Amino acid sequence: MAEKKQEIGVIGLGKFGLRMATTLVSLGHTVVGIDQAEGPVQRAEEALDSVYKADATNIAVLRSLHVQDLDWVVISVGQSVEQSLSITLNVQELGGPKIWVKASNEEHKKILQRLHVNRALVPEMEAAVMAAHQLTYPGMLDLIPKYGGIAIQELRVDQWDGKTLIDLNLMQRFNVMVLGIRPVGEYSFMFVPPAMTVLHRGDTLVVAGRANAMGELQP
């Protein structure tokens, strides 16, 4: 089932905020952009339907823009921790949206977590962790630290040629699950393949499991 399209506010339209906003629009969501500077507002007007030049540290302003009626608010206001926290508290006081906040550092993130926002993230830190894992485990597509370092990775079949998934028993041996297979020479993946699927040299597998387990696989 497709995700429900939602109304989302993005407060702070710098590089991160604007990229978040335009990506959300491309995914079919309705996005309201807010920034107190003229330049970011002008740039966002080319990509978003609704953009406002406004001071989000003023709760009356947020209420007048009906931020309380949104499903989500993403707060991305640069390096000012005080401003970020002020806006976060304002949105919480409005009592409506769920909240994601871009933190400027780990201390900022810890404060936001104590405020019980839905997610606080430090993009530079997350990107660095992801890059280090991709260097260590070539073919890694994603890393989900929240669930204990779960990684999603592509593997190319070589030594597993002629074996079935049940022969490999990856779940029991490595706690790794095969999410999909793209047979050699084909363009589309078969997702959640049957256990009796026979692998062939050159097939591409998409697997999920703990990142440290990926280094033990010899496909």
Side-chain angles (χ1 to χ4, degrees), residues 67-73 91-92 94-99 118:
V67 169
Q68 65 273 16
D69 298 327
L70 299 172
D71 297 300
W72 287 88
V73 168
V91 176
Q92 287 184 324
L94 291 174
K98 297 181 281 292
I99 304 171
N118 295 87

Side-chain angles (χ1 to χ4, degrees), residues 165-193:
L165 296 179
I166 201 167
D167 292 334
L168 296 171
N169 198 19
L170 297 178
M171 180 58 75
Q172 293 299 320
R173 293 169 59 203
F174 302 103
N175 202 25
V176 167
M177 177 184 297
V178 177
L179 303 179
I181 296 177
R182 184 177 66 197
V184 60
E186 297 190 15
Y187 293 99
S188 58
F189 277 90
M190 173 175 61
F191 290 98
V192 193

Side-chain angles (χ1 to χ4, degrees), residues 7-10 13 21 25 30-35 41 44-53 65 70:
E7 294 186 342
I8 302 169
V10 177
L13 297 170
V25 168
T30 300
V31 178
V32 177
I34 301 171
D35 200 292
V41 167
E45 284 176 339
E46 301 175 1
L48 308 180
D49 291 329
S50 300
V51 185
Y52 300 97
K53 183 178 181 294
L65 296 176
L70 299 172

